[in-house]
Amino acid sequence: MTSRLNPYLSFGDTARAALEFYRDVFGGTLSISTFSEFSDKDAPGADLVMHGVLETPSGFTLMAADTPPGMEYKPGSSISISLSGPDAAELRGYWERLSAAGTVSVPLEKQMWGDEFGMCADRFGIGWMVNIVSPEPAEPSVSAAE
């Protein structure tokens, strides 16, 4: 297995709802472990998510957890998750589901560099960037007679 890099999202107490939402957006297999599976089942926060991972059919991996009781939750504002590629239908579908009930800061539309691009924060406050790569213009063909 090769090394991989993927986002790991932290939540106060909404990791389960967020991961289920992302599963609805992207599809895939969701695995969730709670704090109670590894400690006192009656402890405060026992039903919170200790570790969750979503593996999607497109090869995306999202991991998330709730902040354990007694630790301060510090929501991040300097990180966004970027989705990009040439499959316009797939990426527009993700955009529609992520931006629904969220906040759009840049509408998904054609940009000066030629691609379609948009930015939003989903209903959990997670920042997303979607970039639909525009197809390269075809090279003009040169006929043999020229």
Side-chain angles (χ1 to χ4, degrees):
M1 177 179 202
T2 61
S3 297
R4 67 180 178 181
L5 176 71
N6 59 270
Y8 201 111
L9 307 175
S10 296
F11 295 91
D13 60 3
T14 58
R16 179 181 302 275
L19 285 165
E20 289 170 350
F21 169 69
Y22 298 137
R23 181 188 56 205
D24 292 345
V25 170
F26 299 111
T29 304
L30 177 59
S31 173
I32 293 178
S33 299
T34 64
F35 288 103
S36 68
E37 293 175 49
F38 299 95
S39 64
D40 182 1
K41 293 178 183 355
D42 297 321
D47 291 332
L48 293 177
V49 175
M50 185 183 87
H51 176 73
V53 61
L54 174 65
E55 298 282 352
T56 75
S58 294
F60 305 152
T61 300
L62 279 175
M63 295 181 181
D66 287 314
T67 303
M71 291 183 67
E72 182 182 359
Y73 172 57
K74 298 178 185 176
S77 61
S78 61
I79 299 292
S80 293
I81 302 171
S82 175
L83 298 169
S84 59
D87 190 331
E90 177 183 47
L91 291 166
R92 279 191 192 101
Y94 295 152
W95 171 263
E96 291 302 320
R97 293 187 297 273
L98 289 165
S99 62
T103 304
V104 173
S105 55
V106 176
L108 182 63
E109 59 191 20
K110 187 132 180 141
Q111 301 296 325
M112 66 181 129
W113 60 88
D115 295 349
E116 288 182 64
F117 176 82
M119 291 175 58
C120 69
D122 67 27
R123 66 184 185 182
F124 296 99
I126 301 300
W128 293 86
M129 298 182 293
V130 174
N131 191 83
I132 302 170
V133 178
S134 68
E136 294 292 322
E139 293 288 323
S141 61
V142 178
S143 69
E146 291 180 23

